[in-house]
Amino acid sequence: MKTSRRCRALLAVCLNLLALLFSTTAFLTTHWCQGTQRVPKPNCGRDKKTNCLNYSGNSTANDTAGSHGVHYSWETGDDRFLFRYFHTGIWYSCEENLSGLGETCRSFIDLAPASEKGVLWLSVVSEVLYILLLVVGFSLMCLELFHSSNVIDGLKLNAFAAVFTVLSGLLGMVAHMMYTQVFQVTVSLGPEDWRPHSWDYGWSFCLAWGSFTCCMAASVTTLNSYTKTVIEFRHKRKVFEQGFREEPTFIDPEAIKYFRERTEKGDGTEDEDFRLDCHHSRYPNRLQNTHL
């Protein structure tokens, strides 16, 4: 039983550690949602010949016309736009820099509509509490695994660890759902220069929900370990109590001494010898212990 309890506790610790690593990574990265944004192409010039709008007509005439001249382009529809890659997390939204290498990042909290900023901050607070409760549950599980020699103390630590882990999982689920809601509203009502043309969930979002899955698995394993240990103890206690109630009454030592002396002297009757033999055959161990 001790070995199985230790294996279940070790499994719960590993699952909790995975949940903690996944949640921390997802919280700090910016790949919860990713996709493309549609950006108008700039005008072609001397320094820019590609990914730009090339207006037809004589360039000299256009230069002469100046800014009041009429410009024409044969590009229509999506050909007039560039599609740049972007990815967004809880804290920042980063966009591909079309004019050079690297990315340009800005705060996602500033991009969110004013009506959704409160929900976004609640999501951030819930994520922080989620990680903190995972740390508390992980600490209790490690304490129960490595430093608890008393079974009763181990069960208490086990119960507290299960409660903290379940609470953290519920907070994590609420935080992920609130962030998803805020992002979808921002896609519709956010700044026009940021609104995505197409988007999907990224690997950070998958890590966040993977963390929630590991967290709930750890809590179920911990509760299962606690419940199974309690059931085993109750079963052993019931068996012990039944054995104690069914324990036969000891034979009077004086009566045993009396029959033994009469048997040695040969004074006993056949009925008494028969009863003594029956006692010997029914409780041989009790009589031997009494003789000693």
Side-chain angles (χ1 to χ4, degrees):
M1 182 185 73
K2 188 175 181 180
T3 304
S4 61
R5 276 189 69 243
R6 190 173 184 84
C7 291
R8 291 194 298 266
L10 185 60
L11 177 61
V13 168
C14 293
L15 289 172
N16 196 298
L17 181 60
L18 280 178
L20 183 58
L21 292 176
F22 288 170
S23 62
T24 305
T25 303
F27 185 68
L28 298 177
T29 53
T30 59
H31 288 269
W32 284 66
C33 300
Q34 58 190 16
T36 57
Q37 295 171 333
R38 191 168 64 175
V39 181
K41 287 182 179 180
N43 297 335
C44 292
R46 294 178 181 178
D47 298 331
K48 192 171 183 62
K49 303 295 184 182
T50 59
N51 293 329
C52 59
L53 290 177
N54 186 16
Y55 293 101
S56 61
N58 191 322
S59 60
T60 305
N62 288 338
D63 293 339
T64 304
S67 59
H68 300 287
V70 179
H71 302 281
Y72 298 95
S73 174
W74 295 104
E75 297 185 13
T76 59
D78 287 341
D79 294 335
R80 299 177 59 86
F81 298 93
L82 294 175
F83 295 91
R84 64 182 179 186
Y85 171 77
F86 83 98
H87 52 91
T88 304
I90 294 179
W91 300 103
Y92 293 102
S93 176
C94 296
E95 304 151 6
E96 181 185 2
N97 193 352
L98 297 177
S99 60
L101 300 177
E103 295 179 332
T104 303
C105 297
R106 43 184 168 173
S107 174
F108 181 70
I109 297 177
D110 295 336
L111 294 173
S115 60
E116 300 297 319
K117 289 186 184 294
V119 180
L120 182 58
W121 277 113
L122 282 177
S123 174
V124 172
V125 173
S126 299
E127 284 286 346
V128 173
L129 290 177
Y130 170 50
I131 295 175
L132 290 177
L133 289 178
L134 278 178
V135 172
V136 173
F138 177 75
S139 303
L140 291 175
M141 289 179 186
C142 290
L143 190 64
E144 188 265 335
L145 181 61
F146 297 108
H147 299 286
S148 179
S149 56
N150 191 338
V151 178
I152 302 301
D153 293 339
L155 284 176
K156 292 179 181 178
L157 291 172
N158 206 304
F160 280 112
V163 170
F164 280 109
T165 309
V166 170
L167 288 178
S168 65
L170 293 177
L171 280 174
M173 179 183 66
V174 171
H176 303 160
M177 294 176 65
M178 285 193 295
Y179 175 80
T180 304
Q181 174 190 345
V182 171
F183 182 83
Q184 291 176 352
V185 174
T186 307
V187 168
S188 302
L189 303 178
E192 293 185 1
D193 62 336
W194 177 86
R195 294 179 188 177
H197 175 70
S198 63
W199 64 275
D200 201 353
Y201 297 107
W203 58 267
S204 296
F205 187 81
C206 296
L207 275 184
W209 283 105
S211 170
F212 168 75
T213 304
C214 291
C215 174
M216 298 310 294
S219 63
V220 170
T221 304
T222 306
L223 286 173
N224 178 55
S225 178
Y226 174 82
T227 305
K228 192 170 183 179
T229 304
V230 170
I231 290 175
E232 287 175 353
F233 271 105
R234 288 182 178 178
H235 177 70
K236 288 188 174 182
R237 180 179 178 183
K238 184 177 180 181
V239 171
F240 175 77
E241 290 178 351
Q242 288 179 351
F244 183 78
R245 286 195 298 266
E246 294 173 359
E247 188 79 19
T249 306
F250 288 99
I251 301 175
D252 188 3
E254 296 295 334
I256 295 174
K257 184 178 179 181
Y258 170 77
F259 283 111
R260 185 181 59 186
E261 290 177 353
R262 297 198 60 180
T263 303
E264 291 175 354
K265 294 179 181 179
D267 298 334
T269 63
E270 293 182 358
D271 293 337
E272 290 172 341
D273 293 339
F274 176 76
R275 285 195 297 271
L276 185 60
D277 291 338
C278 290
H279 284 299
H280 273 284
S281 61
R282 186 176 181 183
Y283 307 112
N285 295 330
R286 303 297 185 190
L287 294 177
Q288 290 178 5
N289 295 333
T290 308
H291 291 167
L292 296 176

